Amino acid sequence: MNGEGSAKRVADKSRKLTEGDDLLRGTAEQKLGGFYAIAFGATLLAWDVAFAFGTHRTIFYYRRQDLFVLSLVVLLSALLLRRRVHTHSWVLLFFLPPIGLWLLRLAVPRPFGAVAQTADHVLSVATVAVVPFVAAIVVRLLAPNYFTLPGRRLKVILAAIVTTVALIGFLVGHFNDRFLTCEEFIVAGADPAPRCAHRAER
């Protein structure tokens, strides 16, 4: 009887603790649809890109490859599924610069000649220019729930959260010597950041 009574008391305490708390009960996501799913995915990506930019002042090559892969997927799907995916031809032009840049680098060995160097520069600038448009299309495909969130307020809050996390990620990357050592970068398989702290300095 004592065991059952103790179990009942624990269950009652647990119920009272979670009562009225959507995070503890795990019901917040149900009430907000895809809000948390989008927020988690977007902030993790934003932190990764911003942190790397803060530490090394560059966007790592694999993130640039992500842009190429996403552009290739959208372009190929639009061409191969044209009976089911209806789009304007001019929309597909925005996905060509990242693909063209990689094809040029695949076809022409380095060091580039003058013509290839000019073409590489033009395609690089065009790739950067189309990033906002490509990102908008990819977000619509990967996170359609964002555009169906009820009211403008939730969309603004989500954008503010992602922006804040990205800013914090950049600052943590920039001041990485306060958080990480050079050895931690090396263990993770990354090049040490220029301003990283050595273990003896911590």
Side-chain angles (χ1 to χ4, degrees):
M1 293 293 287
N2 287 340
E4 291 178 7
S6 297
K8 188 175 184 304
R9 282 195 298 273
V10 170
D12 288 341
K13 285 183 181 179
S14 177
R15 189 166 49 252
K16 287 177 182 177
L17 182 66
T18 60
E19 197 171 274
D21 191 306
D22 289 324
L23 294 178
L24 289 177
R25 288 190 302 160
T27 56
E29 197 279 335
Q30 296 172 17
K31 292 186 176 183
L32 290 173
F35 180 89
Y36 282 105
I38 299 168
F40 288 142
T43 51
L44 286 170
L45 176 61
W47 176 280
D48 184 60
V49 172
F51 179 81
F53 197 76
T55 56
H56 293 84
R57 296 296 184 272
T58 187
I59 297 174
F60 290 152
Y61 75 91
Y62 54 83
R63 289 301 173 201
R64 297 195 297 270
Q65 286 182 343
D66 289 346
L67 179 63
F68 165 74
V69 171
L70 292 172
S71 298
L72 193 59
V73 168
V74 172
L75 189 64
L76 289 175
S77 66
L79 293 174
L80 299 175
L81 299 172
R82 58 185 174 274
R83 292 183 180 178
R84 300 181 63 182
V85 179
H86 304 286
T87 187
H88 300 294
S89 299
W90 61 266
V91 171
L92 300 181
L93 293 177
F94 286 90
F95 295 91
L96 291 179
I99 297 170
L101 182 62
W102 284 94
L103 290 177
L104 172 68
R105 292 179 178 179
L106 175 67
V108 181
R110 295 195 183 208
F112 287 151
V115 174
Q117 192 170 4
T118 301
D120 186 82
H121 181 70
V122 169
L123 285 171
S124 296
V125 171
T127 296
V128 173
V130 301
V131 164
F133 185 85
V134 172
I137 296 294
V138 170
V139 167
R140 283 190 174 274
L141 294 173
L142 289 179
N145 289 337
Y146 174 79
F147 300 94
T148 59
L149 288 174
R152 183 183 297 177
R153 187 168 180 270
L154 276 181
K155 295 174 186 174
V156 171
I157 289 172
L158 182 54
I161 290 172
V162 174
T163 302
T164 302
V165 169
L167 178 60
I168 294 171
F170 173 79
L171 291 174
V172 171
H174 182 70
F175 298 105
N176 64 85
D177 56 316
R178 310 257 181 108
F179 303 94
L180 299 166
T181 64
C182 299
E183 289 78 9
E184 287 175 295
F185 279 99
I186 294 169
V187 167
D191 285 337
R195 298 178 66 246
C196 68
H198 293 279
R199 197 179 299 278
E201 299 171 2
R202 296 297 296 272

